[in-house]
PDB file of all heavy atoms in Angstrom:
ATOM      1  N   GLY A1161      87.166  95.633 102.735  1.00 95.00           N
ATOM      2  CA  GLY A1161      85.938  95.136 103.034  1.00 95.00           C
ATOM      3  C   GLY A1161      84.827  96.188 103.346  1.00 95.00           C
ATOM      4  O   GLY A1161      85.085  96.960 104.260  1.00 95.00           O
ATOM      5  N   ALA A1162      83.806  96.248 102.639  1.00 96.00           N
ATOM      6  CA  ALA A1162      82.815  97.335 102.723  1.00 96.00           C
ATOM      7  C   ALA A1162      81.590  96.794 103.425  1.00 96.00           C
ATOM      8  O   ALA A1162      80.456  97.010 103.024  1.00 96.00           O
ATOM      9  CB  ALA A1162      82.505  97.874 101.383  1.00 96.00           C
ATOM     10  N   ASP A1184      86.632  96.557  97.826  1.00 94.00           N
ATOM     11  CA  ASP A1184      85.781  95.395  97.937  1.00 94.00           C
ATOM     12  C   ASP A1184      85.380  94.801  96.590  1.00 94.00           C
ATOM     13  O   ASP A1184      85.572  95.556  95.510  1.00 94.00           O
ATOM     14  CB  ASP A1184      84.462  95.863  98.628  1.00 94.00           C
ATOM     15  CG  ASP A1184      83.671  94.686  99.281  1.00 94.00           C
ATOM     16  OD1 ASP A1184      83.169  93.842  98.515  1.00 94.00           O
ATOM     17  OD2 ASP A1184      83.632  94.637 100.485  1.00 94.00           O
ATOM     18  N   ARG A1186      82.429  93.833  95.889  1.00 95.00           N
ATOM     19  CA  ARG A1186      80.930  94.011  95.638  1.00 95.00           C
ATOM     20  C   ARG A1186      80.582  95.428  95.298  1.00 95.00           C
ATOM     21  O   ARG A1186      80.664  96.343  96.154  1.00 95.00           O
ATOM     22  CB  ARG A1186      80.268  93.615  96.885  1.00 95.00           C
ATOM     23  CG  ARG A1186      80.461  92.129  97.294  1.00 95.00           C
ATOM     24  CD  ARG A1186      80.076  91.968  98.731  1.00 95.00           C
ATOM     25  NE  ARG A1186      80.853  92.624  99.672  1.00 95.00           N
ATOM     26  CZ  ARG A1186      80.764  92.661 101.071  1.00 95.00           C
ATOM     27  NH1 ARG A1186      79.726  91.911 101.499  1.00 95.00           N
ATOM     28  NH2 ARG A1186      81.519  93.315 101.766  1.00 95.00           N
ATOM     29  N   PHE A1205      89.944  90.564  96.235  1.00 84.00           N
ATOM     30  CA  PHE A1205      90.800  90.767  97.438  1.00 84.00           C
ATOM     31  C   PHE A1205      92.124  90.000  97.207  1.00 84.00           C
ATOM     32  O   PHE A1205      93.036  90.364  97.959  1.00 84.00           O
ATOM     33  CB  PHE A1205      89.981  90.208  98.627  1.00 84.00           C
ATOM     34  CG  PHE A1205      88.790  90.956  99.046  1.00 84.00           C
ATOM     35  CD1 PHE A1205      87.587  90.465  99.012  1.00 84.00           C
ATOM     36  CD2 PHE A1205      89.080  92.271  99.594  1.00 84.00           C
ATOM     37  CE1 PHE A1205      86.498  91.195  99.390  1.00 84.00           C
ATOM     38  CE2 PHE A1205      87.904  93.056 100.004  1.00 84.00           C
ATOM     39  CZ  PHE A1205      86.638  92.430  99.902  1.00 84.00           C
ATOM     40  N   MET A1223      88.635  93.678 107.039  1.00 95.00           N
ATOM     41  CA  MET A1223      87.370  93.192 107.507  1.00 95.00           C
ATOM     42  C   MET A1223      86.519  92.762 106.385  1.00 95.00           C
ATOM     43  O   MET A1223      85.402  93.226 106.143  1.00 95.00           O
ATOM     44  CB  MET A1223      86.659  94.312 108.320  1.00 95.00           C
ATOM     45  CG  MET A1223      86.711  95.651 107.634  1.00 95.00           C
ATOM     46  SD  MET A1223      86.032  96.992 108.648  1.00 95.00           S
ATOM     47  CE  MET A1223      87.117  97.253 109.879  1.00 95.00           C
ATOM     48  N   THR A1224      87.030  91.809 105.631  1.00 95.00           N
ATOM     49  CA  THR A1224      86.333  91.336 104.447  1.00 95.00           C
ATOM     50  C   THR A1224      85.182  90.301 104.812  1.00 95.00           C
ATOM     51  O   THR A1224      85.147  89.889 106.013  1.00 95.00           O
ATOM     52  CB  THR A1224      87.342  90.606 103.490  1.00 95.00           C
ATOM     53  OG1 THR A1224      87.566  89.293 103.940  1.00 95.00           O
ATOM     54  CG2 THR A1224      88.651  91.401 103.331  1.00 95.00           C
ATOM     55  N   PRO A1225      84.358  89.929 103.907  1.00 93.00           N
ATOM     56  CA  PRO A1225      83.222  89.021 104.293  1.00 93.00           C
ATOM     57  C   PRO A1225      83.651  87.553 104.373  1.00 93.00           C
ATOM     58  O   PRO A1225      82.762  86.763 104.610  1.00 93.00           O
ATOM     59  CB  PRO A1225      82.226  89.254 103.136  1.00 93.00           C
ATOM     60  CG  PRO A1225      83.084  89.690 101.983  1.00 93.00           C
ATOM     61  CD  PRO A1225      84.275  90.471 102.539  1.00 93.00           C
ATOM     62  N   ASP A1226      84.852  87.258 104.175  1.00 92.00           N
ATOM     63  CA  ASP A1226      85.273  85.867 104.160  1.00 92.00           C
ATOM     64  C   ASP A1226      86.745  85.667 104.786  1.00 92.00           C
ATOM     65  O   ASP A1226      87.576  86.368 104.577  1.00 92.00           O
ATOM     66  CB  ASP A1226      85.281  85.323 102.735  1.00 92.00           C
ATOM     67  CG  ASP A1226      85.544  83.858 102.687  1.00 92.00           C
ATOM     68  OD1 ASP A1226      86.740  83.431 102.536  1.00 92.00           O
ATOM     69  OD2 ASP A1226      84.598  83.034 102.645  1.00 92.00           O
ATOM     70  N   HIS A1227      86.883  84.651 105.577  1.00 90.00           N
ATOM     71  CA  HIS A1227      88.119  84.283 106.264  1.00 90.00           C
ATOM     72  C   HIS A1227      89.233  84.187 105.286  1.00 90.00           C
ATOM     73  O   HIS A1227      90.387  84.647 105.472  1.00 90.00           O
ATOM     74  CB  HIS A1227      88.004  83.146 107.108  1.00 90.00           C
ATOM     75  CG  HIS A1227      87.212  83.384 108.423  1.00 90.00           C
ATOM     76  ND1 HIS A1227      87.264  82.573 109.620  1.00 90.00           N
ATOM     77  CD2 HIS A1227      86.259  84.368 108.764  1.00 90.00           C
ATOM     78  CE1 HIS A1227      86.418  82.933 110.478  1.00 90.00           C
ATOM     79  NE2 HIS A1227      85.878  84.122 109.982  1.00 90.00           N
ATOM     80  N   HIS A1229      89.567  85.505 102.325  1.00 93.00           N
ATOM     81  CA  HIS A1229      89.921  86.819 101.861  1.00 93.00           C
ATOM     82  C   HIS A1229      90.778  87.599 102.852  1.00 93.00           C
ATOM     83  O   HIS A1229      91.656  88.324 102.501  1.00 93.00           O
ATOM     84  CB  HIS A1229      88.691  87.687 101.530  1.00 93.00           C
ATOM     85  CG  HIS A1229      87.813  87.087 100.255  1.00 93.00           C
ATOM     86  ND1 HIS A1229      88.478  86.434  99.363  1.00 93.00           N
ATOM     87  CD2 HIS A1229      86.556  87.188 100.096  1.00 93.00           C
ATOM     88  CE1 HIS A1229      87.494  86.112  98.494  1.00 93.00           C
ATOM     89  NE2 HIS A1229      86.306  86.523  98.925  1.00 93.00           N
ATOM     90  N   ASP A1230      90.314  87.551 104.151  1.00 92.00           N
ATOM     91  CA  ASP A1230      91.096  88.153 105.196  1.00 92.00           C
ATOM     92  C   ASP A1230      92.474  87.742 105.213  1.00 92.00           C
ATOM     93  O   ASP A1230      93.421  88.531 105.265  1.00 92.00           O
ATOM     94  CB  ASP A1230      90.436  87.912 106.554  1.00 92.00           C
ATOM     95  CG  ASP A1230      89.167  88.663 106.858  1.00 92.00           C
ATOM     96  OD1 ASP A1230      88.852  89.613 106.185  1.00 92.00           O
ATOM     97  OD2 ASP A1230      88.495  88.267 107.877  1.00 92.00           O
TER      98      ASP A1230
END
Side-chain angles (χ1 to χ4, degrees):
D1184 205 291
R1186 301 164 293 178
F1205 290 114
M1223 48 183 73
T1224 80
D1226 187 271
H1227 287 199
H1229 293 331
D1230 282 345

